[in-house]
Amino acid sequence: MLFIAPMPKAESSEHIMPTSPQVWLKQDLNNYLDATNMINITVNEQPLEVLFKTYMNASKRGIAIILPDIGHPLLSSNGSQFLQTALSDDGYDTYVLPSPDILFESLELPDFAQEQQPSSFAKAVFFQSESMLNEYKNELAARFQALTQQLSKMPDEHIVVIALGTSAGIFAELISEQPQLPVDALVTISAHLPHPKRNKDLAATLSLISPPLLDIYYSYDGPAITQSVSNRKRWAQRNSKYDYRQRELFGLSHELRQHQRLRKVVNGFLSHL
């Protein structure tokens, strides 16, 4: 005869929250980078680590501050990490400033039914609330100010800002509102804003900033970028911004030797400062 023993009741397993991405990123930085490649700044009474490389050229050309796109880590393969090393070899002290955190649940979906003829360009933009963008701008301004106050800049040195993606659009708004910021040149890469109204106004905003501007985009960037580049030239002409330059890099951002082309374009622009 077979006796079936009652099975013990399985207890439900405890839910374990996933590890925060910031923890993984910090572990990567500690694993792959030497302590001399990081500096600490204080932003709103909170410590913040900034990636740093000293200039490795016979003569120092200036300081380059790199602003990665929203959600991109310091060790990013979209061009910011390559530019940090390349510009260091070209004579710049390079600093990669972490992009502020973003709350993706703070979204704003407009009612297209109220528009008579909603454009495909407007629908192609990823929408986020204006309040969220303003919070991002305020935090980015605080981080930039904390970093520039800590820099040991010589009187004849230039400070160059290289911003990517949404960070480029946000910083363009910031520098147009605060022209006293210590920026001698601005390079934007695939600049856009994830809000249709503000992205439409970005073309005029770029023409109102004081420092010389190099506006770079890729052939296969999204429509929020490619459909506005012609307007950027027109606004630069209207507002007599004669130090506005626009360059197209053909192909995708990760194509073979695309980073080298990016370096060549940026260096050609900076050599005329």
Side-chain angles (χ1 to χ4, degrees):
M1 296 181 64
L2 299 176
F3 295 94
I4 301 176
M7 297 293 293
K9 185 178 180 181
E11 297 182 358
S12 60
S13 60
E14 182 182 357
H15 177 68
I16 301 176
M17 293 295 295
T19 305
S20 171
Q22 285 73 19
V23 175
W24 291 111
L25 294 176
K26 184 174 179 59
Q27 291 178 354
D28 287 343
L29 293 176
N30 294 334
N31 184 42
Y32 293 109
L33 298 178
D34 187 79
T36 57
N37 295 125
M38 303 295 297
I39 65 169
N40 292 314
I41 63 175
T42 302
V43 183
N44 297 326
E45 301 182 353
Q46 296 294 327
L48 182 69
E49 290 185 326
V50 178
L51 197 57
F52 167 73
K53 276 185 181 294
T54 186
Y55 74 99
M56 299 298 292
N57 198 7
S59 60
K60 185 178 179 182
R61 296 174 60 187
I63 297 171
I65 301 176
I66 302 174
L67 308 178
D69 197 358
I70 285 181
H72 286 235
L74 293 178
L75 298 177
S76 178
S77 60
N78 68 338
S80 58
Q81 184 181 357
F82 174 85
L83 281 179
Q84 188 211 12
T85 302
L87 291 176
S88 173
D89 293 339
D90 294 333
Y92 288 88
D93 280 344
T94 57
Y95 299 84
V96 183
L97 190 63
S99 59
D101 295 331
I102 184 173
L103 298 176
F104 285 102
E105 63 269 16
S106 178
L107 302 179
E108 183 181 78
L109 298 178
D111 185 7
F112 286 113
Q114 295 181 0
E115 299 185 14
Q116 295 180 356
Q117 293 180 347
S119 65
S120 58
F121 168 66
K123 291 185 178 181
V125 180
F126 180 72
F127 297 100
Q128 292 170 350
S129 67
E130 287 204 85
S131 60
M132 185 277 299
L133 291 178
N134 292 333
E135 291 175 5
Y136 186 88
K137 183 194 296 185
N138 294 335
E139 178 64 21
L140 185 63
R143 295 186 178 196
F144 184 80
Q145 182 179 10
L147 176 60
T148 52
Q149 288 178 348
Q150 191 167 323
L151 297 180
S152 55
K153 176 180 176 293
M154 300 299 292
D156 58 340
E157 282 184 348
H158 296 293
I159 292 183
V160 179
V161 175
I162 303 172
L164 294 85
T166 302
S167 296
I170 290 292
F171 193 80
E173 288 187 339
L174 180 65
I175 201 171
S176 67
E177 298 167 357
Q178 302 181 28
Q180 74 279 6
L181 289 176
V183 179
D184 297 293
L186 175 62
V187 177
T188 60
I189 304 174
S190 301
H192 68 280
L193 289 170
H195 190 280
K197 174 66 167 57
R198 289 172 69 161
N199 192 69
K200 182 180 179 181
D201 295 341
L202 182 59
T205 300
L206 293 173
S207 69
L208 295 175
I209 66 173
S210 299
L213 170 62
L214 174 61
D215 186 16
I216 301 174
Y217 70 99
Y218 295 95
S219 302
Y220 292 99
D221 276 335
I225 302 169
T226 57
Q227 295 186 18
S228 67
V229 291
S230 59
N231 277 337
R232 298 179 187 184
K233 284 185 176 180
R234 297 174 64 219
W235 274 103
Q237 181 179 2
R238 172 174 174 174
N239 290 327
S240 301
K241 184 166 180 57
Y242 299 116
D243 52 8
Y244 173 83
R245 298 292 182 269
Q246 187 181 102
R247 295 291 182 269
E248 177 182 2
L249 294 179
F250 297 98
L252 299 169
S253 60
H254 58 271
E255 286 187 359
L256 182 65
R257 301 194 63 81
Q258 191 71 285
H259 289 347
Q260 286 78 2
R261 298 185 190 101
L262 176 64
R263 176 186 186 179
K264 181 178 180 181
V265 169
V266 172
N267 244 325
F269 172 74
L270 297 181
S271 63
H272 291 87
L273 293 181

